[in-house]
Every structure is written in structure tokens, then in C-alpha cells.
Amino acid sequence: MKVTKFGGTSVASAEQIRKVATIVADDVERKIVVVSAPGKRHSSDTKVTDLLIRLGETYLEKGYANEELEAVLRRYEEIAKGLELGQEIIDQIANDLHTRLTFNQSNPGAFMDQLKASGEDNNAKLIAAYLQTKGMNAVYVSPKEAGLLVSDEPGNAQVLPEAYDHLKKLRERDEMIVFPGFFGFSPDGALVTFPRGGSDITGAILAAGVKAELYENFTDVDSVFAANPNVVESPAQIRRMTYREMRELSYAGFSVFHDEALIPAFRQKIPVCVKNTNNPSSLGTMILAEREYFLNPVIGIAADKGFATIYVRKYLMNREIGFGRRLLQIIEDEGLSYEHIPSGIDDASVILRQEQLTDEIEHRILARIKEELCVDDVFVEKDFAMVMIVGEGMHNTVGISARATAALARAHVNIEMINQGSSEVSLVLGIHEKDADAAVRELYEEFFGGAEETVQ
């Protein structure tokens, strides 16, 4: 059995949904189909999820949102008519949206979850109806019916362990199941969404629940690339990579997967294949628990922007028991998460996402560090990028760091921080944001300049 997930661009229009139908009909093992909300049809288009967010925010503010509601309904009506479906499915979607707008607004987060989830939910109903017209034994199944139980955290749901016991029963069904991504239900019956991009999470959860032989993720690219095609011209395609490599690259800005998406599949060691809806014959990229390492120890290079550094200096810091714990406690007390903590004997840097650091929070943190830790110096620097060099083969290859630093020197990029975990799956280089693209291009040339069209 295969669980097959289609992203927003794969279901953005009637033309794309016809391609989906052809793909699922081509392989009888594709028994569970997970769908996103309709995405962009072209670069200047608006995703249905964004239309729904606009609808919800306007409704909360004004108590009505007729234009915004009409914009959502137009998208579904255009798709339904393009697929030659009757008025019944259009009316069903319209009634569903009107019902969701009557949801209790005293909890804005829960209200917005109801509306955002309708994108996937109604698209799953529409696609199931279309597959039935093509003679397939397809049926829409809701997360509530399937028992996809999640924590009651609007916009940040986490799957509960008992959900897997419920989901495994889907394997016994004869129909082709069309399942909406992005949301589940709390034990009390409340609809709750995963983080943005959560349809990938739904697909991986279902694959783990039914113990699928393969989880296919159809998107709009032929494979995962060794670097961002918007930065590096015609980067090499990656044919095989590990879960850990994909996780590192997702964290650093690779947009194929949400960085939490593969965890359920990873835990069950289910292989994942990234494929292109517009070119399904392409081999795609296989993501595995383990792989053999071939010529290149590095498999990908990525950069993510928007980091800040809290720099702390104190003479004999290394001899002060509990200094690091107390420093991190101050960060924790502000509800912040950190990314890296490179340190020396007399200094330490706490690197975190800049968006978390408001002026008020920054002022409180600096004041507490000065007062409670009696440091010699503390300040914040902003607008950093983290460049990641990723590859399982790095751990037994000499000279990766030397090659990376030499490449950045050639590009006249100053390195502010270097961090490498004990697993040596990735090497992280902190640089100024303005240098990020130049750094990625030079590092790509260093590690892939003579590479073939694909990377194993």
C-alpha cells in the first residue's frame, strides 16, 4: 500500500486535478490519497488557504466578509465546473463555509482553525467526487471518522499516540481513500490544525499509521535539488538521501517539506519519494533511513535568513558552574527557543530566530544577563543567515571545513560562527544576511562544480 500526498500546486486547478486522477489510477497500490487546499495557479495567484485567512480575519473584525467569502467560493466553483461536476458539490462547499462562519468567535484561534482547515477538507470532498465520475471506487474520509487525534493547540497540533491505533484500520478498507491534510481532532472533538505546511505531516502520519510500503509526496519539481534553484543555476538533482539529511535541509530553508513533516515516517522507517505531478515518470528523490555514500560526501547546501545573536562575554566563564544553565533560563523565561550556542572559554553566543526578539524582550534579556550573571559585556547583533552544508558522508571525510572556509574566503564572505554537531551530518556557518546567496553559490561550486546532473 502507498500513501500518496498532493501539494497545493498539484490540486490548484481542474487541469491539475485531472493529472492527479491519472496518477492515482495508474497504480492500484495508491490506496490513500492526501490532498492540500488549492494552491497558486501562477506566480501572482493567491492560495486558497490565504484567501481563507483573509476571510476569517475580516469576519472577526467586521462581523461580515461577503467579498472574501465570494473569492473562496469562486475558486471552488471554477475547479468544479472545469471538472464537469454538478451544482451539488458547489452547494455543499458553500453550505460548509457558511456553517463554519457561525462557529463561536470567543476563541479566535479555534475559529481560524475551522476556516483554514476547510481548504483541505472541501478540496478532498471535491476530488473524491471527481474520482468517482472517472469510475474509481473513491471515498472521502474525514480525520474525525478515521480517528486522527491531536493535541488541542490551535495552529500547532501534535499527533497523539493513540491516533495510530485508529488509523491502521484504514488499511482494511477496499475503497481508495481521499483524505484532507492539515488538521485532526482533539479527544474532546475540537478541530485543530497542524503548523503551516501541515498536509505533509498528515501524509506522514497516515503512512506510519497504515504501515505503508511507500509514502509518495507529489509536488511541482522533479526532485529535491542540491541547492536552491533560485540561487544556483540548474543545481544537481538528489536521487537518494536520508531522513536526517532532509531534516537538516528542511530546517535551513528547503521548501519541499515542512521540517517536522517526516518524523512519523522516519520513526516507522517508511521510505518517502518526492515526485512531480507534472512529470510523474521522473524518478524523483527517495528519502530513506540509510543510504550508501558515493563520490560526494556533501549532498546539499542551504541558507536560511532572519537570525539574531545574543553575545555574552565574561572572564573565566568556563570555571563558573551553572553559568550556561542560568543564561538559558533567562531565554526560556521569555518563551524563546534557541538554535545554536557556539562558545569559547570566556564567551558564548545564543543564536535564535530574530522574529522572536521584540525590542521589549531584548531589553529585558540584556538587563537580566547584566544584573544576574555579572558579565563583562553583552549585546545583540541581528540580520544573520545560517548556511548549512549537509551530508551523511561528511563524518568520515577529512577537510570539509577547510574546503568550506576556503570557498567563503574566495567569495569575500566573513564567517561569524561555525558549529558542527557530534553526528557531523551538517556544518553550520553563520554569516551576514547580505552575503547568503554569494556564499551558497561559492559553496555549491566547491562541492558540486564538477558533479553530474544527479547526486546519489
Side-chain angles (χ1 to χ4, degrees), residues 72-86:
V72 176
L73 291 174
R74 272 199 306 270
R75 281 296 300 274
Y76 283 111
E77 185 173 5
E78 180 181 323
I79 293 171
K81 288 184 175 179
L83 295 173
E84 299 179 341
L85 296 175

Side-chain angles (χ1 to χ4, degrees), residues 358-376:
T358 65
D359 291 342
E360 184 179 350
I361 290 174
E362 179 181 334
H363 177 77
R364 285 200 301 266
I365 286 175
L366 293 181
R368 285 190 62 186
I369 291 174
K370 288 176 184 176
E371 179 181 347
E372 298 175 25
L373 303 182
C374 302
V375 299
D376 299 322

Side-chain angles (χ1 to χ4, degrees), residues 5 30 127 132 135 175 219 228 247 255 296 302 329 338 358 387 394 426:
K5 182 261 177 182
R30 290 175 175 140
I127 290 171
Q132 291 165 11
E175 310 101 322
T219 180
N228 185 343
R247 169 74 172 96
S255 60
N296 199 335
Q329 185 65 56
Y338 68 90
T358 65
V387 178
M394 290 168 53
S426 66

Side-chain angles (χ1 to χ4, degrees), residues 241-245 265-272 286-291 293 392:
M241 64 193 307
T242 66
Y243 296 121
R244 292 201 301 176
E245 289 169 331
F266 165 77
R267 288 176 176 159
Q268 294 296 322
K269 292 184 168 54
I270 295 168
V272 178
M286 287 293 296
I287 305 172
L288 311 161
E290 297 179 2
R291 68 176 178 90
Y293 310 119
E392 295 270 11

